[in-house]
Amino acid sequence: MIGGGKIRLNRWQQAAVAVGSAVGSLLDPRRADLIAALGETTGKPAFERVVERMKKSPEGRAVLLERPRVISAQVGHAWDLPANTFGAAYARFMGSRNFSPDDRPPVRFMETEELAYVAMRAREVHDFWHTLFGLPTNLIGESALKVIEFEQMYLPMCLMSVVGGTVRFTEKQRKLFFQHYFPWAIRAGMQSTDLMCVYYEKHFQEDLEDVRRKWGITPAPAAPNQNVP
């Protein structure tokens, strides 16, 4: 598998891992390994549909053929690009938060190498989407991005993450999310191109606003109350 060993599960084991991961990630949303396991054990049909869409797209086919990875060894040049480019915006996003592209957990529960790669790709382009949509990494921003990810891939994990996120909102956060971010995220996810079919690394040197227009991306509007965390 991608970066880790494959674990074969029967249906009962798969269900047990899915339930355990769902409960664990709800109790501790910082557990990226549990969120990853939940996505893999509940997302096979969705990932299969993503694969079929990618095979019908020129860029998507190139991604499946070449299997680029969003790791430091392959995207480190983004830090050297001009400030107006998509690649530089991604580098600023990562650097300002002290994030590393190498921190994603491995894929363990997919049946084929192709599905494992697509699951890993979906995990690794997450920060590209943060950059393109201009979303923060706080609870509201992550929940809004999960709405877009659900619109794009129909992964059950994304829907469950939104539900889990809203449960942890304060009343002020909940009002801001449903009145401001949620309607925008629904529209943004539907209006964008098929974002899993984009070979992002080949567009690093392009102007950020140009790629947003090309891919139909509407950045998140400024929140009316910036004091909400």
Short mmCIF file of all heavy atoms in Angstrom, two decimals, residues 27-52:
data_model
loop_
_atom_site.label_atom_id
_atom_site.label_comp_id
_atom_site.label_asym_id
_atom_site.label_seq_id
_atom_site.Cartn_x
_atom_site.Cartn_y
_atom_site.Cartn_z
N LEU A 27 -14.37 11.52 19.48
CA LEU A 27 -13.87 11.85 20.82
C LEU A 27 -12.57 12.64 20.75
O LEU A 27 -12.32 13.50 21.59
CB LEU A 27 -13.66 10.56 21.62
CG LEU A 27 -14.92 9.76 21.97
CD1 LEU A 27 -14.55 8.45 22.65
CD2 LEU A 27 -15.84 10.57 22.86
N ASP A 28 -11.75 12.34 19.74
CA ASP A 28 -10.47 13.04 19.59
C ASP A 28 -10.23 13.35 18.12
O ASP A 28 -9.61 12.55 17.40
CB ASP A 28 -9.33 12.19 20.15
CG ASP A 28 -8.00 12.94 20.16
OD1 ASP A 28 -7.97 14.11 19.69
OD2 ASP A 28 -7.00 12.38 20.64
N PRO A 29 -10.72 14.48 17.63
CA PRO A 29 -10.60 14.82 16.21
C PRO A 29 -9.17 15.05 15.75
O PRO A 29 -8.93 15.22 14.55
CB PRO A 29 -11.43 16.10 16.09
CG PRO A 29 -11.47 16.67 17.46
CD PRO A 29 -11.46 15.50 18.39
N ARG A 30 -8.21 15.06 16.67
CA ARG A 30 -6.81 15.22 16.28
C ARG A 30 -6.20 13.91 15.81
O ARG A 30 -5.09 13.92 15.26
CB ARG A 30 -6.00 15.76 17.47
CG ARG A 30 -6.40 17.15 17.92
CD ARG A 30 -5.79 17.50 19.25
NE ARG A 30 -6.25 16.60 20.31
CZ ARG A 30 -5.89 16.67 21.58
NH1 ARG A 30 -5.04 17.60 21.96
NH2 ARG A 30 -6.36 15.81 22.47
N ARG A 31 -6.92 12.80 15.98
CA ARG A 31 -6.39 11.49 15.58
C ARG A 31 -6.55 11.31 14.07
O ARG A 31 -7.54 10.74 13.60
CB ARG A 31 -7.13 10.39 16.35
CG ARG A 31 -6.77 10.30 17.82
CD ARG A 31 -5.37 9.73 18.02
NE ARG A 31 -5.23 8.42 17.43
CZ ARG A 31 -5.56 7.27 18.04
NH1 ARG A 31 -6.06 7.31 19.26
NH2 ARG A 31 -5.37 6.12 17.44
N ALA A 32 -5.55 11.75 13.33
CA ALA A 32 -5.60 11.65 11.86
C ALA A 32 -5.64 10.20 11.41
O ALA A 32 -6.23 9.88 10.36
CB ALA A 32 -4.39 12.36 11.25
N ASP A 33 -5.03 9.29 12.18
CA ASP A 33 -5.04 7.88 11.80
C ASP A 33 -6.44 7.30 11.85
O ASP A 33 -6.82 6.48 10.99
CB ASP A 33 -4.08 7.09 12.69
CG ASP A 33 -4.42 7.21 14.18
OD1 ASP A 33 -4.95 8.26 14.60
OD2 ASP A 33 -4.16 6.25 14.93
N LEU A 34 -7.23 7.71 12.84
CA LEU A 34 -8.60 7.21 12.95
C LEU A 34 -9.48 7.79 11.85
O LEU A 34 -10.32 7.09 11.28
CB LEU A 34 -9.18 7.55 14.32
CG LEU A 34 -8.52 6.88 15.53
CD1 LEU A 34 -9.20 7.32 16.82
CD2 LEU A 34 -8.56 5.36 15.40
N ILE A 35 -9.30 9.06 11.55
CA ILE A 35 -10.06 9.68 10.47
C ILE A 35 -9.72 9.01 9.14
O ILE A 35 -10.60 8.74 8.31
CB ILE A 35 -9.78 11.19 10.41
CG1 ILE A 35 -10.28 11.86 11.68
CG2 ILE A 35 -10.43 11.83 9.18
CD1 ILE A 35 -9.89 13.32 11.82
N ALA A 36 -8.44 8.70 8.94
CA ALA A 36 -8.01 8.01 7.72
C ALA A 36 -8.64 6.62 7.63
O ALA A 36 -9.13 6.21 6.57
CB ALA A 36 -6.49 7.91 7.68
N ALA A 37 -8.63 5.89 8.73
CA ALA A 37 -9.21 4.54 8.74
C ALA A 37 -10.71 4.59 8.45
O ALA A 37 -11.25 3.75 7.72
CB ALA A 37 -8.94 3.86 10.08
N LEU A 38 -11.39 5.59 9.00
CA LEU A 38 -12.81 5.75 8.75
C LEU A 38 -13.07 6.01 7.26
O LEU A 38 -13.97 5.42 6.66
CB LEU A 38 -13.36 6.91 9.59
CG LEU A 38 -14.84 7.27 9.40
CD1 LEU A 38 -15.73 6.09 9.78
CD2 LEU A 38 -15.19 8.50 10.23
N GLY A 39 -12.26 6.88 6.67
CA GLY A 39 -12.42 7.17 5.25
C GLY A 39 -12.21 5.96 4.37
O GLY A 39 -12.93 5.75 3.39
N GLU A 40 -11.22 5.13 4.72
CA GLU A 40 -10.92 3.95 3.90
C GLU A 40 -11.97 2.86 4.04
O GLU A 40 -12.37 2.24 3.05
CB GLU A 40 -9.54 3.41 4.30
CG GLU A 40 -8.39 4.34 3.95
CD GLU A 40 -7.08 3.87 4.57
OE1 GLU A 40 -6.86 2.65 4.60
OE2 GLU A 40 -6.30 4.72 5.02
N THR A 41 -12.42 2.60 5.26
CA THR A 41 -13.34 1.49 5.48
C THR A 41 -14.77 1.80 5.05
O THR A 41 -15.58 0.89 4.86
CB THR A 41 -13.35 1.07 6.97
OG1 THR A 41 -13.58 2.22 7.79
CG2 THR A 41 -12.02 0.43 7.35
N THR A 42 -15.10 3.08 4.88
CA THR A 42 -16.44 3.44 4.43
C THR A 42 -16.47 4.02 3.01
O THR A 42 -17.54 4.26 2.47
CB THR A 42 -17.09 4.48 5.38
OG1 THR A 42 -16.29 5.68 5.36
CG2 THR A 42 -17.17 3.95 6.80
N GLY A 43 -15.28 4.21 2.41
CA GLY A 43 -15.23 4.99 1.18
C GLY A 43 -14.95 4.24 -0.10
O GLY A 43 -14.79 4.88 -1.16
N LYS A 44 -14.90 2.91 -0.09
CA LYS A 44 -14.53 2.18 -1.30
C LYS A 44 -15.41 2.53 -2.51
O LYS A 44 -14.88 2.83 -3.59
CB LYS A 44 -14.55 0.67 -1.04
CG LYS A 44 -14.17 -0.15 -2.28
CD LYS A 44 -14.37 -1.64 -2.08
CE LYS A 44 -14.17 -2.38 -3.39
NZ LYS A 44 -14.46 -3.83 -3.25
N PRO A 45 -16.74 2.50 -2.40
CA PRO A 45 -17.56 2.83 -3.58
C PRO A 45 -17.30 4.25 -4.10
O PRO A 45 -17.25 4.46 -5.32
CB PRO A 45 -19.00 2.68 -3.07
CG PRO A 45 -18.90 1.73 -1.92
CD PRO A 45 -17.59 2.06 -1.27
N ALA A 46 -17.10 5.18 -3.18
CA ALA A 46 -16.83 6.56 -3.60
C ALA A 46 -15.49 6.65 -4.31
O ALA A 46 -15.36 7.31 -5.35
CB ALA A 46 -16.86 7.49 -2.39
N PHE A 47 -14.47 5.99 -3.79
CA PHE A 47 -13.16 6.02 -4.43
C PHE A 47 -13.20 5.32 -5.79
O PHE A 47 -12.50 5.74 -6.72
CB PHE A 47 -12.10 5.39 -3.52
CG PHE A 47 -11.68 6.25 -2.38
CD1 PHE A 47 -11.71 5.78 -1.07
CD2 PHE A 47 -11.25 7.56 -2.60
CE1 PHE A 47 -11.31 6.59 -0.01
CE2 PHE A 47 -10.85 8.38 -1.54
CZ PHE A 47 -10.88 7.88 -0.25
N GLU A 48 -13.99 4.28 -5.92
CA GLU A 48 -14.12 3.61 -7.21
C GLU A 48 -14.73 4.56 -8.25
O GLU A 48 -14.30 4.57 -9.42
CB GLU A 48 -14.98 2.35 -7.08
CG GLU A 48 -14.28 1.22 -6.34
CD GLU A 48 -15.17 0.03 -6.09
OE1 GLU A 48 -16.41 0.22 -6.05
OE2 GLU A 48 -14.65 -1.08 -5.92
N ARG A 49 -15.69 5.37 -7.84
CA ARG A 49 -16.28 6.35 -8.77
C ARG A 49 -15.27 7.43 -9.13
O ARG A 49 -15.24 7.90 -10.27
CB ARG A 49 -17.54 6.95 -8.16
CG ARG A 49 -18.72 5.98 -8.05
CD ARG A 49 -20.00 6.70 -7.68
NE ARG A 49 -19.97 7.24 -6.33
CZ ARG A 49 -20.38 6.58 -5.26
NH1 ARG A 49 -20.86 5.35 -5.37
NH2 ARG A 49 -20.34 7.15 -4.06
N VAL A 50 -14.46 7.84 -8.15
CA VAL A 50 -13.42 8.83 -8.43
C VAL A 50 -12.44 8.29 -9.46
O VAL A 50 -12.04 8.99 -10.40
CB VAL A 50 -12.69 9.24 -7.14
CG1 VAL A 50 -11.46 10.09 -7.47
CG2 VAL A 50 -13.61 10.01 -6.21
N VAL A 51 -12.03 7.04 -9.32
CA VAL A 51 -11.11 6.41 -10.27
C VAL A 51 -11.69 6.45 -11.68
O VAL A 51 -11.00 6.80 -12.64
CB VAL A 51 -10.79 4.96 -9.85
CG1 VAL A 51 -10.06 4.23 -10.98
CG2 VAL A 51 -9.94 4.94 -8.60
N GLU A 52 -12.96 6.10 -11.81
CA GLU A 52 -13.58 6.09 -13.13
C GLU A 52 -13.62 7.49 -13.73
O GLU A 52 -13.41 7.67 -14.93
CB GLU A 52 -14.99 5.49 -13.04
CG GLU A 52 -15.00 4.01 -12.71
CD GLU A 52 -14.13 3.20 -13.67
OE1 GLU A 52 -14.30 3.37 -14.90
OE2 GLU A 52 -13.27 2.44 -13.19
#
